[in-house]
mmCIF file of all heavy atoms in Angstrom:
data_model
loop_
_atom_site.group_PDB
_atom_site.id
_atom_site.type_symbol
_atom_site.label_atom_id
_atom_site.label_comp_id
_atom_site.label_asym_id
_atom_site.label_seq_id
_atom_site.Cartn_x
_atom_site.Cartn_y
_atom_site.Cartn_z
ATOM 1 N N ASP A 1485 -21.221 126.919 -65.950
ATOM 2 C CA ASP A 1485 -22.634 127.305 -65.877
ATOM 3 C C ASP A 1485 -23.172 127.284 -64.461
ATOM 4 O O ASP A 1485 -24.375 127.255 -64.247
ATOM 5 C CB ASP A 1485 -23.476 126.394 -66.779
ATOM 6 C CG ASP A 1485 -23.416 124.939 -66.326
ATOM 7 O OD1 ASP A 1485 -22.652 124.632 -65.382
ATOM 8 O OD2 ASP A 1485 -24.113 124.113 -66.917
ATOM 9 N N ARG A 1486 -22.236 127.322 -63.488
ATOM 10 C CA ARG A 1486 -22.696 127.241 -62.111
ATOM 11 C C ARG A 1486 -21.798 128.090 -61.237
ATOM 12 O O ARG A 1486 -20.580 127.913 -61.245
ATOM 13 C CB ARG A 1486 -22.672 125.780 -61.643
ATOM 14 C CG ARG A 1486 -23.794 125.400 -60.731
ATOM 15 C CD ARG A 1486 -23.704 123.937 -60.405
ATOM 16 N NE ARG A 1486 -23.766 123.085 -61.579
ATOM 17 C CZ ARG A 1486 -23.651 121.762 -61.520
ATOM 18 N NH1 ARG A 1486 -23.483 121.164 -60.359
ATOM 19 N NH2 ARG A 1486 -23.697 121.049 -62.619
ATOM 20 N N TYR A 1488 -21.524 130.070 -57.242
ATOM 21 C CA TYR A 1488 -22.047 130.126 -55.877
ATOM 22 C C TYR A 1488 -21.496 131.357 -55.171
ATOM 23 O O TYR A 1488 -20.355 131.753 -55.396
ATOM 24 C CB TYR A 1488 -21.618 128.888 -55.087
ATOM 25 C CG TYR A 1488 -22.041 127.576 -55.699
ATOM 26 C CD1 TYR A 1488 -21.301 126.987 -56.707
ATOM 27 C CD2 TYR A 1488 -23.175 126.913 -55.242
ATOM 28 C CE1 TYR A 1488 -21.682 125.777 -57.275
ATOM 29 C CE2 TYR A 1488 -23.572 125.702 -55.796
ATOM 30 C CZ TYR A 1488 -22.820 125.144 -56.807
ATOM 31 O OH TYR A 1488 -23.214 123.945 -57.357
ATOM 32 N N TYR A 1490 -20.906 132.729 -51.170
ATOM 33 C CA TYR A 1490 -20.881 132.338 -49.772
ATOM 34 C C TYR A 1490 -20.557 133.562 -48.917
ATOM 35 O O TYR A 1490 -19.885 134.493 -49.369
ATOM 36 C CB TYR A 1490 -19.794 131.289 -49.512
ATOM 37 C CG TYR A 1490 -20.104 129.901 -50.027
ATOM 38 C CD1 TYR A 1490 -19.787 129.539 -51.331
ATOM 39 C CD2 TYR A 1490 -20.680 128.951 -49.192
ATOM 40 C CE1 TYR A 1490 -20.043 128.250 -51.790
ATOM 41 C CE2 TYR A 1490 -20.936 127.656 -49.639
ATOM 42 C CZ TYR A 1490 -20.612 127.320 -50.939
ATOM 43 O OH TYR A 1490 -20.873 126.049 -51.373
ATOM 44 N N GLN A 1492 -18.859 134.552 -45.035
ATOM 45 C CA GLN A 1492 -18.116 134.039 -43.892
ATOM 46 C C GLN A 1492 -17.970 135.146 -42.848
ATOM 47 O O GLN A 1492 -17.391 136.199 -43.132
ATOM 48 C CB GLN A 1492 -16.728 133.528 -44.302
ATOM 49 C CG GLN A 1492 -15.977 132.865 -43.157
ATOM 50 C CD GLN A 1492 -14.613 132.350 -43.579
ATOM 51 O OE1 GLN A 1492 -13.920 132.975 -44.369
ATOM 52 N NE2 GLN A 1492 -14.220 131.193 -43.038
ATOM 53 N N GLY A 1495 -14.153 134.043 -37.771
ATOM 54 C CA GLY A 1495 -14.087 132.867 -36.920
ATOM 55 C C GLY A 1495 -15.149 131.826 -37.186
ATOM 56 O O GLY A 1495 -15.254 130.840 -36.454
ATOM 57 N N LYS A 1496 -15.928 132.046 -38.229
ATOM 58 C CA LYS A 1496 -17.025 131.109 -38.520
ATOM 59 C C LYS A 1496 -16.808 130.418 -39.859
ATOM 60 O O LYS A 1496 -15.890 130.749 -40.617
ATOM 61 C CB LYS A 1496 -18.366 131.874 -38.562
ATOM 62 C CG LYS A 1496 -18.719 132.585 -37.285
ATOM 63 C CD LYS A 1496 -19.153 131.594 -36.223
ATOM 64 C CE LYS A 1496 -19.596 132.253 -34.933
ATOM 65 N NZ LYS A 1496 -20.817 133.041 -35.067
ATOM 66 N N SER A 1497 -17.707 129.493 -40.141
ATOM 67 C CA SER A 1497 -17.604 128.756 -41.387
ATOM 68 C C SER A 1497 -18.269 129.515 -42.532
ATOM 69 O O SER A 1497 -18.798 130.607 -42.344
ATOM 70 C CB SER A 1497 -18.275 127.401 -41.216
ATOM 71 O OG SER A 1497 -18.019 126.613 -42.340
ATOM 72 N N LEU A 1498 -18.255 128.921 -43.709
ATOM 73 C CA LEU A 1498 -18.888 129.534 -44.876
ATOM 74 C C LEU A 1498 -20.362 129.138 -44.927
ATOM 75 O O LEU A 1498 -20.714 127.977 -44.769
ATOM 76 C CB LEU A 1498 -18.208 129.086 -46.172
ATOM 77 C CG LEU A 1498 -16.980 129.859 -46.605
ATOM 78 C CD1 LEU A 1498 -15.800 129.523 -45.725
ATOM 79 C CD2 LEU A 1498 -16.665 129.577 -48.074
ATOM 80 N N SER A 1500 -23.777 129.264 -47.346
ATOM 81 C CA SER A 1500 -24.219 129.441 -48.725
ATOM 82 C C SER A 1500 -25.271 130.546 -48.811
ATOM 83 O O SER A 1500 -26.230 130.575 -48.037
ATOM 84 C CB SER A 1500 -24.810 128.129 -49.244
ATOM 85 O OG SER A 1500 -25.339 128.295 -50.531
ATOM 86 N N VAL A 1503 -27.094 130.230 -55.303
ATOM 87 C CA VAL A 1503 -26.636 129.333 -56.350
ATOM 88 C C VAL A 1503 -27.184 129.868 -57.664
ATOM 89 O O VAL A 1503 -28.405 130.019 -57.821
ATOM 90 C CB VAL A 1503 -27.148 127.894 -56.118
ATOM 91 C CG1 VAL A 1503 -26.649 126.975 -57.217
ATOM 92 C CG2 VAL A 1503 -26.735 127.391 -54.747
ATOM 93 N N LEU A 1505 -27.419 129.240 -61.696
ATOM 94 C CA LEU A 1505 -27.288 128.058 -62.542
ATOM 95 C C LEU A 1505 -27.347 128.325 -64.036
ATOM 96 O O LEU A 1505 -27.137 127.400 -64.814
ATOM 97 C CB LEU A 1505 -28.379 127.048 -62.173
ATOM 98 C CG LEU A 1505 -28.332 126.534 -60.741
ATOM 99 C CD1 LEU A 1505 -29.517 125.610 -60.474
ATOM 100 C CD2 LEU A 1505 -27.026 125.800 -60.487
ATOM 101 N N PHE A 1543 -17.417 135.333 -50.606
ATOM 102 C CA PHE A 1543 -16.671 134.568 -51.601
ATOM 103 C C PHE A 1543 -17.593 134.174 -52.754
ATOM 104 O O PHE A 1543 -18.732 133.756 -52.524
ATOM 105 C CB PHE A 1543 -16.133 133.264 -50.996
ATOM 106 C CG PHE A 1543 -15.042 133.442 -49.989
ATOM 107 C CD1 PHE A 1543 -15.335 133.527 -48.642
ATOM 108 C CD2 PHE A 1543 -13.718 133.514 -50.388
ATOM 109 C CE1 PHE A 1543 -14.332 133.675 -47.698
ATOM 110 C CE2 PHE A 1543 -12.703 133.662 -49.456
ATOM 111 C CZ PHE A 1543 -13.014 133.745 -48.104
ATOM 112 N N ALA A 1550 -17.486 118.203 -62.664
ATOM 113 C CA ALA A 1550 -18.705 117.737 -62.006
ATOM 114 C C ALA A 1550 -18.726 118.024 -60.513
ATOM 115 O O ALA A 1550 -19.800 118.147 -59.916
ATOM 116 C CB ALA A 1550 -18.865 116.242 -62.237
ATOM 117 N N GLN A 1551 -17.577 118.142 -59.893
ATOM 118 C CA GLN A 1551 -17.556 118.146 -58.432
ATOM 119 C C GLN A 1551 -16.866 119.352 -57.796
ATOM 120 O O GLN A 1551 -17.199 119.748 -56.700
ATOM 121 C CB GLN A 1551 -16.829 116.883 -57.914
ATOM 122 C CG GLN A 1551 -17.136 115.592 -58.643
ATOM 123 C CD GLN A 1551 -18.526 115.082 -58.371
ATOM 124 O OE1 GLN A 1551 -19.298 115.690 -57.641
ATOM 125 N NE2 GLN A 1551 -18.875 113.957 -58.969
ATOM 126 N N LYS A 1552 -15.883 119.920 -58.466
ATOM 127 C CA LYS A 1552 -14.981 120.865 -57.802
ATOM 128 C C LYS A 1552 -15.475 122.299 -57.894
ATOM 129 O O LYS A 1552 -16.138 122.696 -58.848
ATOM 130 C CB LYS A 1552 -13.599 120.801 -58.452
ATOM 131 C CG LYS A 1552 -12.862 119.508 -58.208
ATOM 132 C CD LYS A 1552 -11.589 119.427 -59.030
ATOM 133 C CE LYS A 1552 -10.664 120.608 -58.806
ATOM 134 N NZ LYS A 1552 -9.378 120.431 -59.529
ATOM 135 N N LEU A 1553 -15.125 123.071 -56.866
ATOM 136 C CA LEU A 1553 -15.323 124.516 -56.884
ATOM 137 C C LEU A 1553 -13.968 125.209 -56.848
ATOM 138 O O LEU A 1553 -13.060 124.762 -56.149
ATOM 139 C CB LEU A 1553 -16.126 124.984 -55.669
ATOM 140 C CG LEU A 1553 -17.576 124.549 -55.552
ATOM 141 C CD1 LEU A 1553 -18.207 125.156 -54.308
ATOM 142 C CD2 LEU A 1553 -18.358 124.955 -56.787
ATOM 143 N N VAL A 1554 -13.854 126.308 -57.597
ATOM 144 C CA VAL A 1554 -12.687 127.174 -57.509
ATOM 145 C C VAL A 1554 -13.152 128.501 -56.918
ATOM 146 O O VAL A 1554 -14.077 129.134 -57.456
ATOM 147 C CB VAL A 1554 -12.030 127.378 -58.882
ATOM 148 C CG1 VAL A 1554 -10.836 128.317 -58.756
ATOM 149 C CG2 VAL A 1554 -11.594 126.035 -59.466
ATOM 150 N N PHE A 1555 -12.519 128.915 -55.826
ATOM 151 C CA PHE A 1555 -12.956 130.093 -55.084
ATOM 152 C C PHE A 1555 -12.182 131.339 -55.483
ATOM 153 O O PHE A 1555 -10.989 131.278 -55.823
ATOM 154 C CB PHE A 1555 -12.760 129.868 -53.582
ATOM 155 C CG PHE A 1555 -13.817 129.006 -52.956
ATOM 156 C CD1 PHE A 1555 -13.772 127.628 -53.095
ATOM 157 C CD2 PHE A 1555 -14.862 129.565 -52.245
ATOM 158 C CE1 PHE A 1555 -14.756 126.820 -52.542
ATOM 159 C CE2 PHE A 1555 -15.848 128.781 -51.675
ATOM 160 C CZ PHE A 1555 -15.789 127.404 -51.821
ATOM 161 N N GLY A 1556 -12.860 132.479 -55.403
ATOM 162 C CA GLY A 1556 -12.174 133.759 -55.463
ATOM 163 C C GLY A 1556 -11.457 134.031 -54.148
ATOM 164 O O GLY A 1556 -11.576 133.273 -53.181
ATOM 165 N N GLN A 1557 -10.728 135.161 -54.112
ATOM 166 C CA GLN A 1557 -9.907 135.474 -52.936
ATOM 167 C C GLN A 1557 -10.746 135.937 -51.751
ATOM 168 O O GLN A 1557 -10.277 135.954 -50.613
ATOM 169 C CB GLN A 1557 -8.892 136.584 -53.265
ATOM 170 C CG GLN A 1557 -8.082 136.350 -54.520
ATOM 171 C CD GLN A 1557 -8.682 137.088 -55.700
ATOM 172 O OE1 GLN A 1557 -9.882 136.966 -56.008
ATOM 173 N NE2 GLN A 1557 -7.858 137.849 -56.397
ATOM 174 N N GLY A 1558 -11.979 136.318 -52.016
ATOM 175 C CA GLY A 1558 -12.833 136.852 -50.958
ATOM 176 C C GLY A 1558 -12.805 138.371 -50.941
ATOM 177 O O GLY A 1558 -11.780 138.994 -51.238
ATOM 178 N N ARG B 532 -11.335 122.594 -33.170
ATOM 179 C CA ARG B 532 -11.348 123.985 -33.653
ATOM 180 C C ARG B 532 -9.950 124.559 -33.710
ATOM 181 O O ARG B 532 -9.632 125.344 -34.599
ATOM 182 C CB ARG B 532 -12.209 124.869 -32.736
ATOM 183 C CG ARG B 532 -13.701 124.615 -32.806
ATOM 184 C CD ARG B 532 -14.287 124.851 -34.200
ATOM 185 N NE ARG B 532 -13.954 126.131 -34.798
ATOM 186 C CZ ARG B 532 -14.633 127.247 -34.611
ATOM 187 N NH1 ARG B 532 -15.678 127.263 -33.809
ATOM 188 N NH2 ARG B 532 -14.283 128.366 -35.214
ATOM 189 N N ASN B 554 -20.022 113.417 -51.847
ATOM 190 C CA ASN B 554 -18.771 114.153 -51.996
ATOM 191 C C ASN B 554 -18.306 114.739 -50.678
ATOM 192 O O ASN B 554 -19.104 115.275 -49.903
ATOM 193 C CB ASN B 554 -18.958 115.331 -52.974
ATOM 194 C CG ASN B 554 -19.330 114.892 -54.361
ATOM 195 O OD1 ASN B 554 -19.007 113.796 -54.787
ATOM 196 N ND2 ASN B 554 -20.013 115.775 -55.066
ATOM 197 N N PHE B 556 -14.763 117.159 -49.149
ATOM 198 C CA PHE B 556 -13.667 118.003 -49.610
ATOM 199 C C PHE B 556 -12.842 118.499 -48.422
ATOM 200 O O PHE B 556 -13.384 118.750 -47.345
ATOM 201 C CB PHE B 556 -14.214 119.248 -50.338
ATOM 202 C CG PHE B 556 -15.177 118.958 -51.453
ATOM 203 C CD1 PHE B 556 -16.519 118.721 -51.186
ATOM 204 C CD2 PHE B 556 -14.742 118.929 -52.763
ATOM 205 C CE1 PHE B 556 -17.415 118.463 -52.213
ATOM 206 C CE2 PHE B 556 -15.629 118.672 -53.797
ATOM 207 C CZ PHE B 556 -16.963 118.434 -53.523
ATOM 208 N N TYR B 558 -10.216 121.775 -47.779
ATOM 209 C CA TYR B 558 -9.633 123.016 -48.263
ATOM 210 C C TYR B 558 -8.712 123.576 -47.183
ATOM 211 O O TYR B 558 -8.904 123.329 -45.999
ATOM 212 C CB TYR B 558 -10.718 124.083 -48.499
ATOM 213 C CG TYR B 558 -11.723 123.786 -49.575
ATOM 214 C CD1 TYR B 558 -12.900 123.088 -49.293
ATOM 215 C CD2 TYR B 558 -11.524 124.235 -50.879
ATOM 216 C CE1 TYR B 558 -13.841 122.849 -50.283
ATOM 217 C CE2 TYR B 558 -12.464 123.997 -51.868
ATOM 218 C CZ TYR B 558 -13.618 123.301 -51.559
ATOM 219 O OH TYR B 558 -14.546 123.069 -52.540
ATOM 220 N N GLN B 560 -7.530 127.554 -46.038
ATOM 221 C CA GLN B 560 -7.863 128.959 -46.260
ATOM 222 C C GLN B 560 -6.752 129.821 -45.701
ATOM 223 O O GLN B 560 -6.420 129.737 -44.510
ATOM 224 C CB GLN B 560 -9.189 129.313 -45.564
ATOM 225 C CG GLN B 560 -9.609 130.750 -45.799
ATOM 226 C CD GLN B 560 -10.934 131.101 -45.147
ATOM 227 O OE1 GLN B 560 -11.480 130.363 -44.331
ATOM 228 N NE2 GLN B 560 -11.484 132.243 -45.515
ATOM 229 N N GLY B 563 -5.955 136.347 -48.300
ATOM 230 C CA GLY B 563 -5.637 136.823 -49.645
ATOM 231 C C GLY B 563 -5.623 135.749 -50.718
ATOM 232 O O GLY B 563 -5.500 136.068 -51.902
ATOM 233 N N LEU B 564 -5.773 134.495 -50.315
ATOM 234 C CA LEU B 564 -5.734 133.392 -51.293
ATOM 235 C C LEU B 564 -7.073 132.679 -51.417
ATOM 236 O O LEU B 564 -7.215 131.769 -52.239
ATOM 237 C CB LEU B 564 -4.650 132.381 -50.914
ATOM 238 C CG LEU B 564 -3.213 132.899 -50.916
ATOM 239 C CD1 LEU B 564 -2.256 131.812 -50.456
ATOM 240 C CD2 LEU B 564 -2.817 133.409 -52.300
ATOM 241 N N GLY B 565 -8.034 133.047 -50.614
ATOM 242 C CA GLY B 565 -9.315 132.359 -50.656
ATOM 243 C C GLY B 565 -9.183 130.937 -50.141
ATOM 244 O O GLY B 565 -8.338 130.632 -49.293
ATOM 245 N N LEU B 566 -10.014 130.046 -50.662
ATOM 246 C CA LEU B 566 -9.962 128.634 -50.305
ATOM 247 C C LEU B 566 -9.305 127.866 -51.438
ATOM 248 O O LEU B 566 -9.640 128.068 -52.606
ATOM 249 C CB LEU B 566 -11.374 128.081 -50.103
ATOM 250 C CG LEU B 566 -12.039 128.316 -48.760
ATOM 251 C CD1 LEU B 566 -12.438 129.770 -48.585
ATOM 252 C CD2 LEU B 566 -13.240 127.403 -48.606
ATOM 253 N N LEU B 568 -8.337 123.936 -52.789
ATOM 254 C CA LEU B 568 -8.723 122.542 -52.612
ATOM 255 C C LEU B 568 -7.494 121.658 -52.468
ATOM 256 O O LEU B 568 -6.598 121.677 -53.325
ATOM 257 C CB LEU B 568 -9.567 122.092 -53.800
ATOM 258 C CG LEU B 568 -10.091 120.674 -53.770
ATOM 259 C CD1 LEU B 568 -11.070 120.482 -52.616
ATOM 260 C CD2 LEU B 568 -10.765 120.331 -55.098
ATOM 261 N N PHE B 571 -10.306 115.820 -52.645
ATOM 262 C CA PHE B 571 -11.717 115.520 -52.469
ATOM 263 C C PHE B 571 -11.988 114.049 -52.731
ATOM 264 O O PHE B 571 -11.146 113.340 -53.293
ATOM 265 C CB PHE B 571 -12.607 116.435 -53.322
ATOM 266 C CG PHE B 571 -12.555 116.179 -54.799
ATOM 267 C CD1 PHE B 571 -13.564 115.467 -55.432
ATOM 268 C CD2 PHE B 571 -11.544 116.705 -55.577
ATOM 269 C CE1 PHE B 571 -13.554 115.260 -56.797
ATOM 270 C CE2 PHE B 571 -11.516 116.503 -56.945
ATOM 271 C CZ PHE B 571 -12.520 115.772 -57.555
ATOM 272 N N TYR B 573 -15.284 111.354 -53.899
ATOM 273 C CA TYR B 573 -16.646 111.263 -54.415
ATOM 274 C C TYR B 573 -17.309 109.943 -54.052
ATOM 275 O O TYR B 573 -18.437 109.678 -54.448
ATOM 276 C CB TYR B 573 -16.668 111.502 -55.930
ATOM 277 C CG TYR B 573 -15.680 110.658 -56.692
ATOM 278 C CD1 TYR B 573 -16.021 109.401 -57.162
ATOM 279 C CD2 TYR B 573 -14.391 111.135 -56.929
ATOM 280 C CE1 TYR B 573 -15.120 108.640 -57.849
ATOM 281 C CE2 TYR B 573 -13.472 110.365 -57.620
ATOM 282 C CZ TYR B 573 -13.836 109.128 -58.082
ATOM 283 O OH TYR B 573 -12.927 108.361 -58.764
ATOM 284 N N GLY B 581 -6.589 117.690 -55.347
ATOM 285 C CA GLY B 581 -7.041 119.023 -55.692
ATOM 286 C C GLY B 581 -5.880 119.835 -56.241
ATOM 287 O O GLY B 581 -4.998 119.304 -56.922
ATOM 288 N N ASP B 582 -5.861 121.108 -55.910
ATOM 289 C CA ASP B 582 -4.854 122.008 -56.458
ATOM 290 C C ASP B 582 -3.552 122.020 -55.674
ATOM 291 O O ASP B 582 -2.503 122.362 -56.215
ATOM 292 C CB ASP B 582 -5.435 123.430 -56.518
ATOM 293 C CG ASP B 582 -6.660 123.495 -57.402
ATOM 294 O OD1 ASP B 582 -6.623 122.895 -58.503
ATOM 295 O OD2 ASP B 582 -7.662 124.110 -57.005
ATOM 296 N N LEU B 613 -10.647 123.681 -43.783
ATOM 297 C CA LEU B 613 -12.101 123.570 -43.842
ATOM 298 C C LEU B 613 -12.497 122.296 -44.565
ATOM 299 O O LEU B 613 -11.976 121.987 -45.633
ATOM 300 C CB LEU B 613 -12.699 124.765 -44.586
ATOM 301 C CG LEU B 613 -12.599 126.119 -43.872
ATOM 302 C CD1 LEU B 613 -12.897 127.254 -44.829
ATOM 303 C CD2 LEU B 613 -13.554 126.165 -42.700
ATOM 304 N N ALA B 619 -23.681 114.440 -54.925
ATOM 305 C CA ALA B 619 -23.019 114.324 -56.226
ATOM 306 C C ALA B 619 -23.848 114.966 -57.319
ATOM 307 O O ALA B 619 -23.329 115.463 -58.306
ATOM 308 C CB ALA B 619 -22.770 112.851 -56.546
ATOM 309 N N ARG B 622 -27.058 119.954 -58.147
ATOM 310 C CA ARG B 622 -26.668 121.355 -58.203
ATOM 311 C C ARG B 622 -26.895 122.066 -56.873
ATOM 312 O O ARG B 622 -27.373 123.208 -56.839
ATOM 313 C CB ARG B 622 -27.409 122.083 -59.324
ATOM 314 C CG ARG B 622 -27.088 121.519 -60.693
ATOM 315 C CD ARG B 622 -27.780 122.276 -61.791
ATOM 316 N NE ARG B 622 -27.244 121.913 -63.087
ATOM 317 C CZ ARG B 622 -27.554 122.515 -64.218
ATOM 318 N NH1 ARG B 622 -28.397 123.518 -64.208
ATOM 319 N NH2 ARG B 622 -27.037 122.124 -65.355
ATOM 320 N N LYS B 623 -26.585 121.383 -55.799
ATOM 321 C CA LYS B 623 -26.711 121.984 -54.470
ATOM 322 C C LYS B 623 -25.344 122.462 -54.006
ATOM 323 O O LYS B 623 -24.317 121.949 -54.426
ATOM 324 C CB LYS B 623 -27.252 120.943 -53.479
ATOM 325 C CG LYS B 623 -28.642 120.448 -53.811
ATOM 326 C CD LYS B 623 -29.664 121.549 -53.648
ATOM 327 C CE LYS B 623 -31.065 120.997 -53.828
ATOM 328 N NZ LYS B 623 -32.072 122.083 -53.762
ATOM 329 N N PRO B 624 -25.322 123.466 -53.113
ATOM 330 C CA PRO B 624 -24.022 123.987 -52.658
ATOM 331 C C PRO B 624 -23.315 123.026 -51.729
ATOM 332 O O PRO B 624 -23.934 122.130 -51.142
ATOM 333 C CB PRO B 624 -24.403 125.266 -51.916
ATOM 334 C CG PRO B 624 -25.793 125.045 -51.461
ATOM 335 C CD PRO B 624 -26.456 124.212 -52.535
ATOM 336 N N GLN B 625 -22.022 123.219 -51.602
ATOM 337 C CA GLN B 625 -21.261 122.502 -50.593
ATOM 338 C C GLN B 625 -21.578 123.088 -49.214
ATOM 339 O O GLN B 625 -21.774 124.294 -49.067
ATOM 340 C CB GLN B 625 -19.763 122.614 -50.872
ATOM 341 C CG GLN B 625 -19.332 121.911 -52.140
ATOM 342 C CD GLN B 625 -17.844 122.037 -52.400
ATOM 343 O OE1 GLN B 625 -17.072 122.417 -51.516
ATOM 344 N NE2 GLN B 625 -17.430 121.713 -53.614
ATOM 345 N N PHE B 627 -20.160 123.518 -45.287
ATOM 346 C CA PHE B 627 -18.855 123.578 -44.658
ATOM 347 C C PHE B 627 -18.918 123.343 -43.160
ATOM 348 O O PHE B 627 -19.899 123.710 -42.491
ATOM 349 C CB PHE B 627 -18.219 124.944 -44.919
ATOM 350 C CG PHE B 627 -17.689 125.105 -46.304
ATOM 351 C CD1 PHE B 627 -18.526 125.420 -47.352
ATOM 352 C CD2 PHE B 627 -16.340 124.921 -46.562
ATOM 353 C CE1 PHE B 627 -18.029 125.548 -48.646
ATOM 354 C CE2 PHE B 627 -15.837 125.050 -47.844
ATOM 355 C CZ PHE B 627 -16.684 125.358 -48.888
ATOM 356 N N GLY B 628 -17.839 122.747 -42.629
ATOM 357 C CA GLY B 628 -17.644 122.680 -41.189
ATOM 358 C C GLY B 628 -17.108 123.998 -40.657
ATOM 359 O O GLY B 628 -16.865 124.938 -41.418
ATOM 360 N N ASP B 629 -16.916 124.059 -39.336
ATOM 361 C CA ASP B 629 -16.481 125.294 -38.686
ATOM 362 C C ASP B 629 -14.997 125.577 -38.851
ATOM 363 O O ASP B 629 -14.540 126.676 -38.527
ATOM 364 C CB ASP B 629 -16.811 125.254 -37.194
ATOM 365 C CG ASP B 629 -18.296 125.424 -36.940
ATOM 366 O OD1 ASP B 629 -18.986 125.966 -37.841
ATOM 367 O OD2 ASP B 629 -18.776 125.034 -35.871
#
Side-chain angles (χ1 to χ4, degrees):
Chain A
D1485 63 355
R1486 216 177 301 177
Y1488 302 83
Y1490 286 87
Q1492 185 179 38
K1496 300 286 183 66
S1497 188
L1498 275 73
S1500 175
V1503 180
L1505 299 176
F1543 291 93
Q1551 319 289 1
K1552 292 172 55 175
L1553 294 182
V1554 179
F1555 282 79
Q1557 310 97 308
Chain B
R532 290 299 309 273
N554 298 333
F556 307 82
Y558 295 89
Q560 182 178 12
L564 297 177
L566 278 72
L568 182 65
F571 71 101
Y573 51 89
D582 299 316
L613 291 166
R622 298 182 168 188
K623 297 293 187 184
Q625 294 180 15
F627 284 81
D629 287 339

